[in-house]
Amino acid sequence: MSREPSHATPHHCGRYRAASISRRDMLRGCFSGMGSVALAAMTNRAAPAAAGPTRLVSPHGSHFTPQCKSVIFLYMDGGPSQVDTFDPKPALDKYNGQDPGQFFKVAPTQFNNNGTVLASPWKFQRHGDAGMPMSSLFPHLATCADELCYVRSMTSEFSEHTFAN
């Protein structure tokens, strides 16, 4: 007999999810994200010219001279998969077409029809001085691989995309 936490609500796949956060908690969490970057940019533009240069990050300056003049943040809900773009998974090639349940525990999802392991149809090669892997889906983007920043620290405890967002 499993005991459900008092602060959780049942989910359609049998798991429990935490209760919704308050507006205050949401704003506190967003403050340290992209909202603070936008705020820093807006306050820097509004600074009077007589005040001199402003430092957005540290009062002591940076360890190096910044070279980036702009950032393009792509949030691609429903965009191409990471395993088809910039994050090759050799195990997908190894287990292509097989049932994932025989290799690891698969959590129940919305439809409970996980299918089989699917390898990426795109081939990966290393590009640029850093040797960052990129799929053949982006042949022209590969020419400027050294000018890109890869963020690979996003994680989720639940495999369903909606809640991972």
Side-chain angles (χ1 to χ4, degrees), residues 34 37-38 41 44-45 56 66-74 146-149:
M34 292 304 292
V37 173
N44 188 36
R45 258 189 237 117
L56 298 176
Q67 297 176 357
C68 181
K69 299 201 180 356
S70 61
V71 173
I72 299 172
F73 175 72
L74 300 176
D146 286 330
E147 299 173 39
L148 301 175
C149 173

Side-chain angles (χ1 to χ4, degrees), residues 99-115:
D99 177 18
Q102 63 185 347
F103 307 111
F104 53 88
K105 183 181 179 220
V106 179
T109 61
Q110 181 177 358
F111 302 109
N112 285 335
N113 181 6
N114 296 316

Side-chain angles (χ1 to χ4, degrees), residues 69-120:
K69 299 201 180 356
S70 61
V71 173
I72 299 172
F73 175 72
L74 300 176
Y75 176 77
M76 300 188 301
D77 188 16
S81 169
Q82 75 276 10
V83 299
D84 290 335
T85 55
F86 305 105
D87 195 11
K89 303 288 186 194
L92 293 179
D93 294 328
K94 181 178 178 181
Y95 300 118
N96 187 36
Q98 299 181 38
D99 177 18
Q102 63 185 347
F103 307 111
F104 53 88
K105 183 181 179 220
V106 179
T109 61
Q110 181 177 358
F111 302 109
N112 285 335
N113 181 6
N114 296 316
T116 59
V117 176
L118 180 63
S120 176

Side-chain angles (χ1 to χ4, degrees), residues 23-70:
R23 183 178 61 189
R24 183 176 302 229
D25 290 337
M26 187 271 307
L27 289 172
R28 185 180 301 124
C30 291
F31 177 73
S32 61
M34 292 304 292
S36 62
V37 173
L39 178 64
M42 288 188 304
T43 57
N44 188 36
R45 258 189 237 117
T54 59
R55 299 195 188 276
L56 298 176
V57 178
S58 170
H60 305 292
S62 177
H63 295 290
F64 57 90
T65 304
Q67 297 176 357
C68 181
K69 299 201 180 356
S70 61

